[in-house]
Amino acid sequence: MPSPIDARVAVVLKGWPRLSETFIAQEIAGLEARGVALEIWSLRRPTDKHRHPVHDRVQGRVVYLPEYLKDDPSRVWAGWLKARRLPGYATSRARFLADLRRDPSANRLRRWGQALVLAAELPASIDRLYAHFLHTPASVTRYAALMRGLPWSVSAHAKDIWTSAPWEAAEKLADCAWAVTCTNMGADRLRALSTRPDKVKLVYHGLDFAHLPAPMHLRARRDGSDAADPVVILSIGRKVEKKGFGDLLDALALLPKTLHWRFEHIGAGELGDLLKAQAERLGIADRCTWLGAQPQKQVFAALARADLFVLASKKAADGDQDGLPNVLMEAAHQGLAIVSTRAAAIGEFIEDGENGLLAPPGAPEALSAALARMIAHPDLRQQLAHRAAETVRTRFSFDAGVDWIASALGQGVQPEAMLSEARAAE
């Protein structure tokens, strides 16, 4: 058993547990295994019907903040009565009001109310705060940390980097002790916004191999020539614009009629009905199976029965885009060949023709050509899958990243020094 880290940490999340954020649960479990004493403060209650096994490994206390202030006004009022007497309240309130002038939204008011409750209810034993996502969780964390005079840090990922206003991201980076992010592309963006680029650390999520099923090294040699035994194509991800499932359906419809295939999808999302209707229009609905959100056991069962994995990521109209989706590494670890796009940071893992096939984002014709090549050539699938699995094992170390975060969380900063620094910046 590792020796305990000399810190007690409050981890602030948008929601706990969430099936689509296994990488966060994996990190939290890894931190606890390294002796970090933590508790989870969630901005909303879970909406998923299932849990992954990794969620059950996490032992820290879970506290849910009022998702909407109107739902628990007495708790918000009690939070304000206590928070207004904290030494950093005036400094935090000034930060909030400056933010509100530039972003006069109901969402901003809600984050302030949640921060009041968080600051008021945090146990005295908490030494620092740590937010996952640079947008709303970091706003709540920042305001509460200032009120309590505690250091705070943030892990930034994808949408939060690319859709946050530059002024807000820059100010959060100025206030936090350090920030980590999971792609080199994201790290470059944050460093460009920060007056202290050295605060930003690149930490790939990686995979915790000890808690994953053993990979399949030998798979069926289907080549799409047998209508009774079609090639199984799998994709996993939320049904949102940046995942490119509309492009993927167009690409599937363009496949040669001589190739026999079946498509499976795992994931929830707002575009579900539109995608099913699109599959009907394209005449491929009978080949598509929509499984919805699934627990980890069923996810890995789907990875085991598939022949290849595809993810058609692209940049959404609002600027949202993926980072480096963990599901690509999970598919590679399980021995699946990968077809994806050059969107976001996918190229930091997959090199076209070396350990997978990549198409331009938003280009169904090119994606279809890559899929056709993979479907018809099982030897190519096996070769690229082997190389992708080797890339995961050698370049994406879960242990190294979580070791760094655990060490950084254990480095003490005097609360008085943090509050003095914040006041000086005003």
Side-chain angles (χ1 to χ4, degrees), residues 115-131:
L116 292 171
V117 175
L118 175 58
E121 296 183 2
L122 272 178
S125 59
I126 292 296
D127 299 304
R128 64 163 62 233
L129 289 83
Y130 175 45

Side-chain angles (χ1 to χ4, degrees), residues 103-299:
D103 173 33
S105 65
N107 180 65
R108 181 69 57 181
L109 291 168
R110 182 163 33 139
R111 301 314 165 197
W112 173 246
Q114 289 178 315
L116 292 171
V117 175
L118 175 58
E121 296 183 2
L122 272 178
S125 59
I126 292 296
D127 299 304
R128 64 163 62 233
L129 289 83
Y130 175 45
H132 265 282
F133 291 104
L134 188 62
H135 47 19
T136 50
S139 293
V140 175
T141 301
R142 179 192 186 208
Y143 298 145
L146 284 169
M147 284 186 253
R148 291 291 294 263
L150 292 174
W152 69 281
S153 304
V154 60
S155 181
H157 300 289
K159 180 177 182 178
D160 52 326
I161 297 174
W162 304 109
T163 63
S164 290
W167 64 264
E168 185 168 15
E171 291 184 8
K172 286 175 178 174
L173 291 169
D175 277 0
C176 72
W178 47 262
V180 295
T181 191
C182 50
T183 67
N184 192 55
M185 181 179 70
D188 286 345
R189 167 68 172 171
L190 296 180
R191 287 168 183 153
L193 290 172
S194 177
T195 57
R196 285 276 310 279
D198 58 305
K199 279 188 178 184
V200 179
K201 171 78 172 177
L202 171 62
V203 174
Y204 286 114
H205 293 311
L207 296 181
D208 186 359
F209 302 129
H211 294 94
L212 294 180
M216 290 184 61
H217 297 293
L218 294 176
R219 290 183 177 267
R221 295 183 53 79
R222 302 181 183 97
D223 62 4
S225 62
D226 186 352
D229 191 22
V231 169
V232 179
I233 304 166
L234 175 66
S235 193
I236 300 171
R238 290 180 299 124
K239 300 187 194 88
V240 294
E241 184 185 359
K242 70 177 179 180
K243 297 296 183 180
F245 290 119
D247 295 336
L248 175 54
L249 291 178
D250 286 340
L252 291 171
L254 291 170
L255 287 170
K257 303 305 180 187
T258 54
L259 291 179
H260 301 283
W261 53 269
R262 180 166 59 84
F263 173 64
E264 292 189 8
H265 174 269
I266 290 177
E270 62 211 36
L271 300 181
D273 291 341
L274 291 175
L275 291 171
K276 289 178 182 178
Q278 181 182 350
E280 289 282 358
R281 289 196 307 274
L282 293 170
I284 59 172
D286 59 336
R287 296 187 180 192
C288 299
T289 303
W290 306 93
L291 298 170
Q294 294 291 323
Q296 195 172 44
K297 182 178 180 180
Q298 298 307 318
V299 170

